[in-house]
Amino acid sequence: MTQVDFYILPETTSDARWLFACRLADKAHRMGMRVLVAMDTEAEARQFDELLWTFKPESFIPHQLINSGKPSPVEITYNAEAGDHQGLLLNLSKTTPTYFSRFARLAEVVIQEPAMLAASRERFSFYKSRGYPIETRKL
């Protein structure tokens, strides 16, 4: 069963959320886990792709948009395509991806913005009502 982790950030900006997601993807990759990052739009996916190259100059995270060639340890999707990933799903989408349950872990990154908090509470209730193990990590 998928382990769900909610990372609750004290910040209010999407930039802080995305930077934390980059660090999380970096850590998971260094631990040998394959990562799929779920975004809402192609434009967001491309922005996150660029951020992964620049967020930490000394770091290298092999990544790409999904289906851009040979599979990569970290891939970014903005549609229902999940490739063959089963390690970590890093959900930066506003909704719960339909394929989330095939992953060993699911990470939700939450910022202190009213709409984000409301959507996160709905997803928390969704996972909890279906019996998924949930950890909340206040940072």
Side-chain angles (χ1 to χ4, degrees), residues 84-103:
D84 64 349
H85 288 269
Q86 297 177 349
L88 171 65
L89 173 59
L90 180 48
N91 187 25
L92 297 178
S93 174
K94 293 179 179 110
T95 60
T96 302
T98 56
Y99 47 77
F100 81 93
S101 62
R102 75 184 221 194
F103 286 81

Side-chain angles (χ1 to χ4, degrees), residues 37-43 45-46 65-66 76-81 99:
V37 182
M39 307 298 288
D40 286 316
T41 67
E42 182 178 0
R46 291 189 183 283
L65 296 180
I66 199 160
I76 307 162
T77 188
Y78 55 89
N79 53 36
E81 179 61 44
Y99 47 77

Side-chain angles (χ1 to χ4, degrees), residues 35-137:
V35 180
L36 181 66
V37 182
M39 307 298 288
D40 286 316
T41 67
E42 182 178 0
E44 287 179 346
R46 291 189 183 283
Q47 284 179 296
F48 193 77
D49 176 60
E50 184 62 31
L51 185 59
L52 281 172
W53 288 118
T54 61
F55 87 100
K56 190 174 169 186
E58 68 277 7
S59 174
F60 173 71
I61 304 170
H63 69 280
Q64 66 184 7
L65 296 180
I66 199 160
N67 294 329
S68 293
K70 185 177 164 186
S72 180
V74 177
E75 293 188 308
I76 307 162
T77 188
Y78 55 89
N79 53 36
E81 179 61 44
D84 64 349
H85 288 269
Q86 297 177 349
L88 171 65
L89 173 59
L90 180 48
N91 187 25
L92 297 178
S93 174
K94 293 179 179 110
T95 60
T96 302
T98 56
Y99 47 77
F100 81 93
S101 62
R102 75 184 221 194
F103 286 81
R105 299 192 76 115
L106 166 63
E108 296 274 359
V109 182
V110 182
I111 56 173
Q112 302 302 305
E113 189 276 319
M116 169 68 63
L117 289 170
S120 296
R121 287 182 187 115
E122 286 179 20
R123 287 194 303 277
F124 184 94
S125 294
F126 172 83
Y127 302 131
K128 186 175 182 174
S129 71
R130 285 157 180 79
Y132 288 94
I134 301 172
E135 288 285 329
T136 301
R137 303 166 193 272

Side-chain angles (χ1 to χ4, degrees), residues 13-38:
T13 66
S14 291
D15 288 346
R17 183 175 184 235
W18 283 22
L19 284 172
F20 179 81
C22 285
R23 290 193 305 271
L24 194 59
D26 183 36
K27 181 178 180 179
H29 167 66
R30 283 186 284 113
M31 293 173 65
M33 188 174 279
R34 291 194 65 213
V35 180
L36 181 66
V37 182

